[in-house]
Amino acid sequence: MSVTQKDFENAMNQVKLLKKDPGNEVKLKLYALYKQATEGPCNIPKPGAFDFVNKAKWDAWNGLGSLPKETARQNYVDLVSSLSGPSSESSSQVKPGADSKQEGYENLLVTSEDRITKILLNRPTKKNAITTQMYHEIMLALKAASQDDSVLTVLTGSGDYYCSGNDLTNFTDIPPGGVEEKAKNSSFLLRDFVNCFIDFPKPLVAVVNGPAVGISVTILGLFDIVYASDRATFHTPFSHLGQSPEGCSSYTFPKIMGSSKAAEMLIFGKKLTAGEACAQGLVTQVFPDSTFQKEVWTRLKAYSKLPPNAMRISKEIIRKNEKEKLHAVNAEECNVLLSRWQSDECMNAVVNFLSRKAKL
Ligand SMILES: CCCCC/C=C/CC(=O)SCCNC(=O)CCNC(=O)[C@H](O)C(C)(C)COP(=O)(O)OP(=O)(O)OC[C@H]1O[C@@H](n2cnc3c(N)ncnc32)[C@H](O)[C@@H]1OP(=O)(O)O
């Protein structure tokens, strides 16, 4: 029996709800079948050899030759149904009150000790670059930390980096709706992610153990305290990547360090040392790397003994007047990025990184 348009649409929705990433090969197949089912045989010019992402997509679609639209539609539905288990659910949902240990995190290590919840970015071989899944995991961990019985929450990194920012391979994971749909999804995800930091109710501390890049730097303006090792650097290379500021930094950075210092970081991508970042107010205090962990954790354990309600209420009153503004700034930044991510400047920068032609 042939599938109906409704079956096809249901399958498209099902893809968005897949719990597990099906991998690039399957995603290319889905893309090709979707294009074939909706537009027929490949009808666009072959992309250039260095346009890796579009070239892979073109190859997959072109490889379907003259497969009839109906068959492509059927194959698409079959493929999706083979991927979807009965318990598929949206991976973008943050489950309030979820227990971190039950839930399990792939690239985070979340522990609670001495009334401090520590969220450790745990992908050291990739310099703790944040994958799409990690954005969801961090949101989940923050939600859980906001409701557990800890009084302080700490974000830190494992290995030599604090975090190298957004994982640039996130941009290669193109859904059937193409680059525009990818940009929209990313913009929604980023907005939700940053909102979790804006709204986080307990004192939030960044323990910056090494270099920090991109979004891991911009959201620092939403933390209450930032402790840094003297090995740390702070780098927001948005123009190099054809992108624009996020994490509310277009508002918090000029406020923290003045507009010209903020411009040097956010427009020209000037990398700051930990000492410079401290002098400019982005970092609370710098510690020698050799004693960093010991000094910071001793200090945090002492703070964690303070009355929790007083700390929470103090945070609330400090941040209250800014919240609405921060949400508006976040929404606007995500909106601007929506078009930046579809620009040639951005796509070329990602391809250059992935083809090993460019590093920061
Ligand atoms: C929902 C979407 C929201 C989007 C929000 C937007 C945010 C904006 C940003 O965050 S912009 C910042 C993006 N980050 C970068 O551009 C950093 C890219 N990485 C580098 O330039 C370098 O890797 C480095 C300077 C961070 C470290 O260089 P080093 O030589 O010390 O180490 P390697 O390059 O060999 O790195 C080890 C492996 O890690 C991989 N890797 C590192 N960072 C990233 C990254 N951001 N994205 C993807 N992969 C990354 C690197 O490719 C190496 O992998 P390999 O061992 O498999 O080769």
Side-chain angles (χ1 to χ4, degrees):
M1 202 178 67
S2 66
V3 294
T4 62
Q5 178 63 21
K6 186 84 197 135
D7 295 328
F8 185 53
E9 282 165 16
N10 285 344
M12 283 192 280
N13 289 330
Q14 199 67 35
V15 167
K16 295 182 197 142
L17 301 177
L18 288 176
K19 207 171 176 189
K20 265 194 173 169
D21 185 333
N24 283 341
E25 204 179 317
V26 172
K27 280 186 278 193
L28 278 174
K29 268 189 202 153
L30 286 169
Y31 166 79
L33 288 168
Y34 170 85
K35 295 296 273 184
Q36 192 87 6
T38 53
E39 295 178 36
C42 183
N43 55 8
I44 53 170
K46 186 174 181 173
F50 288 113
D51 191 354
F52 296 114
V53 176
N54 286 318
K55 168 85 168 38
K57 289 166 72 185
W58 187 90
D59 285 341
W61 184 12
N62 193 49
L64 294 180
S66 57
L67 188 77
K69 278 186 173 182
E70 291 70 21
T71 316
R73 205 158 70 165
Q74 176 80 59
N75 292 356
Y76 182 93
V77 171
D78 290 347
L79 179 54
V80 174
S81 100
S82 75
L83 298 170
S84 321
S87 61
S88 289
E89 59 176 279
S90 169
S91 61
S92 68
Q93 281 172 355
V94 174
K95 299 174 196 79
D99 180 324
S100 61
K101 287 178 194 85
Q102 282 167 7
E103 200 63 38
Y105 299 102
E106 213 170 279
N107 290 302
L108 299 183
L109 208 57
V110 182
T111 46
S112 274
E113 213 183 313
D114 297 314
R115 309 212 301 172
I116 302 172
T117 290
K118 179 169 99 173
I119 302 172
L120 179 76
L121 304 172
N122 195 23
R123 208 176 164 233
T125 55
K126 299 286 181 185
K127 311 293 182 193
N128 298 321
I130 308 178
T131 60
T132 301
Q133 174 161 352
M134 279 168 84
Y135 286 106
H136 290 292
E137 290 188 356
I138 294 167
M139 289 194 284
L140 199 58
L142 286 174
K143 202 81 185 169
S146 74
Q147 294 170 357
D148 68 16
D149 53 12
S150 66
V151 301
L152 296 181
T153 302
V154 171
L155 185 69
T156 189
S158 69
D160 59 342
Y161 259 65
Y162 173 66
C163 173
S164 64
N166 185 45
D167 188 307
L168 294 172
T169 66
N170 289 341
F171 290 117
T172 61
D173 176 17
I174 307 292
V179 173
E180 193 183 338
E181 188 185 332
K182 176 72 201 175
K184 274 189 194 151
N185 293 344
S186 303
S187 174
F188 289 138
L189 176 57
L190 179 62
R191 200 193 53 202
D192 289 350
F193 178 74
V194 174
N195 279 343
C196 285
F197 287 87
I198 297 173
D199 293 330
F200 193 73
K202 298 177 183 176
L204 186 59
V205 182
V207 171
V208 185
N209 54 297
V213 185
I215 187 156
S216 70
V217 177
T218 56
I219 54 170
L220 291 177
L222 302 172
F223 281 68
D224 301 297
I225 286 184
V226 179
Y227 290 142
S229 148
D230 60 7
R231 252 187 356 92
T233 51
F234 298 82
H235 193 189
T236 51
F238 299 128
S239 299
H240 301 71
L241 294 167
Q243 297 183 40
S244 51
E246 80 303 278
C248 294
S249 58
S250 62
Y251 175 71
T252 57
F253 279 27
K255 216 174 151 212
I256 291 169
M257 59 185 80
S259 54
S260 85
K261 293 287 186 195
E264 211 176 12
M265 273 192 92
L266 297 174
I267 303 177
F268 300 113
K270 184 182 181 208
K271 190 194 285 187
L272 301 189
T273 63
E276 287 166 339
C278 192
Q280 292 179 15
L282 184 62
V283 164
T284 315
Q285 189 171 340
V286 181
F287 299 82
D289 194 56
S290 54
T291 54
F292 179 59
Q293 297 292 345
K294 189 162 179 279
E295 288 194 63
V296 162
W297 288 103
T298 304
R299 174 116 32 125
L300 291 175
K301 277 178 199 166
Y303 288 161
S304 74
K305 296 197 173 77
L306 293 169
N309 291 336
M311 287 197 283
R312 189 192 273 255
I313 286 163
S314 297
K315 170 163 182 165
E316 193 181 327
I317 200 160
I318 292 169
R319 300 266 167 187
K320 199 172 79 185
N321 298 322
E322 290 283 51
K323 256 194 186 174
E324 209 179 309
K325 174 75 184 167
L326 291 170
H327 282 297
V329 170
N330 182 26
E332 195 187 354
E333 288 177 346
C334 292
N335 207 27
V336 171
L337 275 168
L338 178 60
S339 59
R340 282 284 86 218
W341 286 328
Q342 295 174 72
S343 70
D344 288 346
E345 287 181 348
C346 177
M347 290 192 204
N348 289 339
V350 172
V351 168
N352 282 342
F353 175 74
L354 297 177
S355 58
R356 303 285 178 250
K357 279 201 277 181
K359 252 188 210 184
L360 294 175

